[in-house]
Amino acid sequence: MNLPESYIPILIQAGVAIGFVAVSLLGAHFLGPQQKKGNSVKNQSWECGVPVEGNARTPFSIKYFLTAVLFVLFDIEIVFFYPYAVNFREFGMEGFLAVLTFVAIFFMAFFYVWKRGALDWDK
């Protein structure tokens, strides 16, 4: 196998990352606490003396996930604005039109989400 020298650091980093994951998983399995089998009282859920109500697997409201997605969407928008803000003189009118197009598409998506009621927190 004849690899160019530029691939060697990438392969070393990938090997270190895979090795770290393997050591972490194996270490957690063998060094972590072991639960005893059975239905003993120690294996039951307990929270400050309050009796357990319902199942822990109840679904979250979709508003929680929608808020997270919208937060990521706004963050990504800011990430794309930063290079333009740093180099706006070099981009000229063509760069300005590209950013204007990006903003227009972003606002179309924002108004779509707004009209669909995703930002109505009272519902």
Side-chain angles (χ1 to χ4, degrees), residues 56-70:
R57 305 278 186 245
T58 55
F60 286 99
S61 170
I62 191 67
K63 294 288 185 183
Y64 172 79
F65 298 107
L66 191 56
T67 304
V69 168
L70 289 175

Side-chain angles (χ1 to χ4, degrees), residues 11-29:
L11 292 175
I12 291 172
Q13 183 176 5
V16 168
I18 291 171
F20 177 75
V21 169
V23 168
S24 296
L25 289 175
L26 289 173
H29 178 71

Side-chain angles (χ1 to χ4, degrees), residues 23-63:
V23 168
S24 296
L25 289 175
L26 289 173
H29 178 71
F30 289 115
L31 300 175
Q34 303 295 323
Q35 289 189 359
K36 295 179 182 177
K37 304 288 184 196
N39 249 348
S40 69
V41 176
K42 286 188 173 185
N43 288 338
Q44 292 181 1
S45 298
W46 184 79
E47 182 66 33
C48 299
V50 177
V52 177
E53 291 183 19
N55 188 358
R57 305 278 186 245
T58 55
F60 286 99
S61 170
I62 191 67
K63 294 288 185 183

